Amino acid sequence: MIGVANMDDVRAIETQAQLADLPSSTYAMICRGASINLSAPALSFFATVDEYRNGECWTYGQLVRDITRTANLFSRFGVQRDSVVAYVLPNLPETHFVIWGGEAAGIVCAINPLLEGEAIGELLNASGASVLVTLAPFPGTDLWQKVQAVLHKVSSLKHLVLVNPADRMPHERRSAARALQRDECSRLHGPGGIHSAVPSHVGIHDFSTAMASENGDVLSSAVEIGAEDVSSFFCTGGTTGLPKIAIRRHANEVANAWNASQFLGESIGPGKTIFCGLPLFHVNAVLVTGLLAFSRGAHVVLGTPQGYRGDGVVNRFWEIVEHYRINFFSGVPTLYGSLLDVPVGEHDISSLEYGLCGAAPMPVELLRTFQERTSVRILEGYGLTEGTCVSSVNPPLGERRAGSIGLRLPGQPMKAVVVDENGRYIRDCVADEVGQLVISGPNVFAGYTRADQNSGIWMEGGDGTRWLNTGDLGRCDSDGYFWLTGRKKELIIRGGHNIDPAAIEEPLHRHPAVQIAAAIGRPDMHAGELPVAYVQLKPDTAATEAELAEFLRREINERAALPKGIRIVDAIPLTGVGKIFKPALKRREMTDALGAALAEAGVENTTISLIDNNSRGVSLHVELSDPALQVLATSVLGRFPFAFSISVSARD
């Protein structure tokens, strides 16, 4: 399949009935992709942007060998189909070995290394991990310190596998880096080293040494991996309260990778090079720039352990594209905004075919400006962890409708439905009618690890099929393109990072002076949204915004969730039944944020009106006092994901 241009192509793929021939596991899928050409480059890595020209490279034969070795290592540790191997790692080649080797032996659990130690400990306990793979102590990183501090709280843990960052340094610097690593161990833990800092019942292993001694030809386990076996746990909830962990099966991941490959067609396959800059604890990086690419024999480039956050990666991105002849990369709107500030100059980026954008709404003006300046086409899409990753994308060969999340993937039904006040299905929406977005298909996950968290997420969709309620509002036009119009889940999306408002609200409610707290996202042209909190104090109490901010710094384990502003108000708006009415707060922040952005750009004396449109969501109208500022105002407003109009007030 060369790719999709319209819904007729999607339906044509579905009639081919190729799903029955899918591999039974992610390991088998990678092996099938590798068999296209075992000597082809599969995975490249450079530790710093200054070394991008001299990156390490694994062929497909070497990639499968190291994945197999890793799986056999875990099997030797006693990992079985229901055992959990957790990883808390940055973007390293070893991270891929652990993900796919872990799925070939047991269940892999991805944990965000940017979380604080307490949050990491909560997720390790919630997953029941028996094996943990993380970084060894190393100068300039604090991951080991965060993990080590909570190991004594994880009763299920039996084996600790440490990846030494020195192993990925260039050969000429590797010996010196290993000496620094040993010095860091001594500095942190004295003569006893790591063994003195880890519970005595936990075995400690060096990843490179242990993995290298394993057989890389065949899996040692006699247990055959089945499509319905659980492959992975991905964390989707906030970091306070009860962790929410999504259960995914091999069939989910294999189907989503196959469906996406049919949709994207020849843009991902042998001879194509994919850049991975998103973090490998996130489903987009793991599936789109991981399993999908490997299943098609493409070449994946890992750019620094921190990905796009790595020092100099964005500033030298076009150099990296030119050197590796990158064909495809995936990012979030904030990345594209940052790349706009980096001139392409004389760099040859003609190899770039597409950039995939998801995780948050992309401002239409940003999309258009990026494509005009770089000639790189952006495919805006939509997905969620519970749907494995990708649910819809703008077609690579057809019309890319700015502001749309595109056509659904083949084999993955998706629709907007009308529901009653209790969330029960009434009927399918007609074209352009806003409703609840629901999805079904082999990509849809098995549920959350906690049974009580599965209440209300499933829906009978009028056809006898079980549908997953995404929590998002949207519409589908007459040509099959979907459009998001709101998020019922109220997640705050900061630079592609999902923040549960409860992660802010619950700690605030523990403050003795707080009566009501509500966290929402404030529009931001750089981060997409920034968390802010509204607080109503109890009668006869006092607290300042600075005091509440300091309180939250001690209570919140997720740095990204720390509010950028706290607003103390006399009364938080409530609905008729006493629930917090967040739309009123969001409108206030939206008006203030847009007005501030315009003023900062030099567009003064504006009047901003917000308009609710049943089929398009919230839009805004800006009235200017000076017609000469209209072009500048259009440029500023275009960096936000809202429809807008501009008028000029009549002069006196």
Side-chain angles (χ1 to χ4, degrees):
M1 183 70 191
I2 62 172
V4 162
N6 50 46
M7 275 304 299
D8 288 339
D9 290 340
V10 172
R11 287 186 281 266
I13 293 171
E14 292 173 333
T15 61
Q16 294 169 8
Q18 293 179 353
L19 286 172
D21 188 38
L22 290 183
S24 61
S25 68
T26 57
Y27 178 81
M29 191 172 214
I30 292 172
C31 289
R32 182 182 292 187
S35 68
I36 297 172
N37 184 354
L38 287 172
S39 63
L43 180 65
S44 290
F45 170 78
F46 53 89
T48 70
V49 74
D50 290 335
E51 296 155 353
Y52 76 83
R53 295 180 182 275
N54 302 304
E56 293 183 89
C57 183
W58 282 254
T59 66
Y60 266 97
Q62 293 166 332
L63 174 69
V64 171
R65 176 201 66 194
D66 286 349
I67 291 173
T68 304
R69 284 174 167 174
T70 304
N72 290 338
L73 174 65
F74 294 148
S75 294
R76 182 160 60 81
F77 290 163
V79 170
Q80 299 177 352
R81 295 305 317 138
D82 58 350
S83 304
V84 177
V85 176
Y87 67 93
V88 190
L89 291 169
N91 285 13
L92 295 168
E94 289 87 347
T95 313
H96 271 300
F97 306 156
V98 169
I99 293 169
W100 310 116
E103 291 194 4
I107 303 167
V108 159
C109 179
I111 298 179
N112 180 356
L114 299 178
L115 295 176
E116 298 300 330
E118 287 299 317
I120 291 172
E122 287 179 11
L123 293 172
L124 288 171
N125 273 317
S127 67
S130 61
V131 177
L132 170 63
V133 188
T134 192
L135 283 188
F138 198 78
T141 69
D142 66 348
L143 183 54
W144 164 254
Q145 291 93 313
K146 292 193 298 184
V147 172
Q148 183 272 329
V150 298
L151 290 178
H152 66 284
K153 298 181 180 180
V154 187
S155 59
S156 59
L157 192 63
K158 297 177 182 177
H159 295 275
L160 177 66
V161 185
L162 298 177
V163 175
N164 189 344
D167 293 340
R168 296 280 69 85
M169 293 294 177
H171 286 285
E172 64 274 12
R173 291 167 46 197
R174 198 163 292 177
S175 295
R178 286 172 176 158
L180 287 173
Q181 194 273 327
R182 290 191 294 269
D183 290 344
E184 183 71 357
C185 287
S186 298
R187 184 186 72 81
L188 292 173
H189 305 299
I194 290 176
H195 287 272
S196 66
V198 175
S200 58
H201 69 277
V202 177
I204 304 173
H205 314 269
D206 175 75
F207 180 81
S208 293
T209 303
M211 185 265 281
S213 65
E214 298 292 335
N215 180 2
D217 296 329
V218 294
L219 294 175
S220 60
S221 174
V223 178
E224 184 175 347
I225 307 167
E228 294 306 308
D229 286 327
V230 176
S231 57
S232 62
F233 290 163
F234 275 83
C235 310
T236 68
T239 58
T240 61
L242 298 174
K244 183 179 279 188
I245 299 176
I247 305 170
R248 293 127 61 87
R249 304 187 188 279
H250 282 273
N252 301 146
E253 297 184 3
V254 167
N256 198 229
W258 187 88
N259 293 337
S261 73
Q262 296 299 296
F263 192 96
L264 295 172
E266 294 177 350
S267 59
I268 296 182
K272 300 292 186 177
T273 302
I274 318 300
F275 185 81
C276 174
L278 294 174
L280 282 169
F281 64 82
H282 192 276
V283 294
N284 189 306
V286 171
L287 189 120
V288 176
T289 53
L291 182 60
L292 168 58
F294 295 146
S295 73
R296 295 290 296 264
H299 178 200
V300 175
V301 176
L302 279 180
T304 81
Q306 294 76 38
Y308 294 124
R309 295 174 181 265
D311 187 27
V313 170
V314 170
N315 288 338
R316 300 179 68 178
F317 186 70
W318 306 125
E319 294 179 43
I320 296 167
V321 168
E322 181 177 41
H323 176 75
Y324 284 98
R325 305 300 296 160
I326 302 293
N327 303 107
F328 181 95
F329 68 99
S330 187
V332 297
T334 52
L335 169 71
Y336 291 95
S338 297
L339 288 175
L340 268 183
D341 297 328
V342 182
V344 175
E346 299 300 316
H347 297 296
D348 179 6
I349 63 169
S350 59
S351 61
L352 268 180
E353 299 174 35
Y354 307 108
L356 185 67
C357 184
M362 186 166 193
V364 172
E365 191 64 24
L366 173 59
L367 184 149
R368 288 174 176 155
T369 303
F370 187 89
Q371 292 183 158
E372 287 173 2
R373 289 191 190 175
T374 65
S375 299
V376 176
R377 292 171 288 182
I378 296 177
L379 303 181
E380 192 173 4
Y382 168 80
L384 58 163
T385 300
E386 293 86 348
T388 300
C389 183
V390 189
S391 288
S392 66
V393 187
N394 271 269
L397 303 182
E399 181 185 358
R400 292 175 294 282
R401 297 186 177 176
S404 164
I405 56 172
L407 309 174
R408 66 173 179 83
L409 263 59
Q412 299 184 184
M414 179 173 170
K415 62 182 180 180
V417 300
V418 177
V419 298
D420 64 19
E421 64 275 7
N422 296 312
R424 289 191 293 264
Y425 173 86
I426 297 177
R427 60 174 175 80
D428 289 1
C429 290
V430 299
D432 283 323
E433 181 182 16
V434 172
Q436 199 75 38
L437 286 185
V438 296
I439 61 174
S440 68
N443 58 300
V444 176
F445 81 144
Y448 301 111
T449 54
R450 290 183 59 90
D452 58 309
Q453 293 173 338
N454 294 313
S455 176
I457 66 172
W458 306 110
M459 181 186 300
E460 195 288 312
D463 54 2
T465 299
R466 187 172 79 159
W467 294 77
L468 174 70
N469 184 352
T470 68
D472 290 317
L473 300 175
R475 61 185 175 88
C476 182
D477 66 24
S478 57
D479 296 317
Y481 286 78
F482 284 88
W483 306 75
L484 289 181
T485 59
R487 289 198 311 278
K488 204 170 183 67
K489 292 183 293 188
E490 297 181 342
L491 286 176
I492 301 165
I493 303 181
R494 179 178 184 175
H497 183 91
N498 289 349
I499 300 169
D500 187 342
I504 302 168
E505 295 163 350
E506 290 177 11
L508 277 172
H509 283 127
R510 293 197 290 269
H511 191 282
V514 173
Q515 184 173 53
I516 304 176
I520 61 169
R522 174 185 174 89
D524 183 84
M525 69 170 63
H526 304 293
E529 289 183 322
L530 293 173
V532 298
Y534 280 78
V535 171
Q536 178 180 322
L537 300 178
K538 295 176 181 177
D540 302 320
T541 63
T544 66
E545 294 173 358
E547 289 170 351
L548 293 175
E550 179 59 31
F551 176 79
L552 286 180
R553 276 191 285 272
R554 299 191 300 267
E555 295 289 317
I556 292 180
N557 291 323
E558 187 177 4
R559 296 173 191 172
L562 288 171
K564 282 297 181 180
I566 297 177
R567 330 285 196 217
I568 296 177
V569 295
D570 292 335
I572 286 182
L574 304 176
T575 66
V577 295
K579 293 183 179 180
I580 295 173
F581 188 59
K582 286 189 176 181
L585 301 177
K586 289 183 177 181
R587 292 173 72 93
R588 173 173 164 173
E589 286 298 321
M590 184 175 171
T591 302
D592 185 71
L594 294 168
L598 287 168
E600 184 179 351
V603 183
E604 304 280 359
N605 302 318
T606 61
T607 301
I608 300 176
S609 305
L610 299 185
I611 305 163
D612 287 312
N613 185 303
N614 290 333
S615 66
R616 298 294 189 272
V618 176
S619 61
L620 61 138
H621 178 77
V622 176
E623 187 174 307
L624 304 176
S625 58
D626 184 351
L629 296 175
Q630 188 161 352
V631 173
L632 180 57
T634 299
S635 175
V636 173
L637 296 173
R639 298 296 295 271
F640 293 90
F642 309 114
F644 65 89
S645 58
I646 296 176
S647 64
V648 180
S649 59
R651 294 182 183 273
D652 295 334

